[in-house]
Amino acid sequence: MAERACRHCMRLLEGQTCLICGTSDLAEEWSGLVIILDAERSEIAKKLGVDIPDRFALKVR
Ligand SMILES: [Zn+2]
């Protein structure tokens, strides 16, 4: 799969670095796609500690 998951914020991205964390600590293997549309109202977003609408992985290796 082309997308990688940031190990810090669990955000899915296609580049080499996470724009939020500025880290290149990315996992190529991840599972559990979560799409956050409204971070302020989403229970999952709160669990993940997410405050921006984006797509996230539930688990990364
Ligand atoms: Zn990140």
Side-chain angles (χ1 to χ4, degrees):
M1 73 187 58
E3 282 181 305
R4 298 171 187 205
C6 173
R7 284 198 170 95
H8 295 260
C9 67
M10 311 292 269
R11 194 170 165 268
L12 294 179
L13 49 108
E14 289 181 3
Q16 296 294 318
T17 54
C18 175
L19 295 178
I20 305 298
C21 308
T23 180
S24 56
D25 187 12
L26 309 176
E28 289 188 34
E29 291 190 49
W30 52 268
S31 61
L33 174 64
V34 177
I35 300 173
I36 306 290
L37 296 176
D38 187 345
E40 287 184 11
R41 295 186 194 180
S42 168
E43 290 298 319
I44 302 171
K46 283 176 194 164
K47 271 188 192 172
L48 293 175
V50 163
D51 55 6
I52 47 165
D54 211 330
R55 293 178 306 139
F56 300 85
L58 273 183
K59 286 184 183 176
V60 293
R61 285 197 203 170

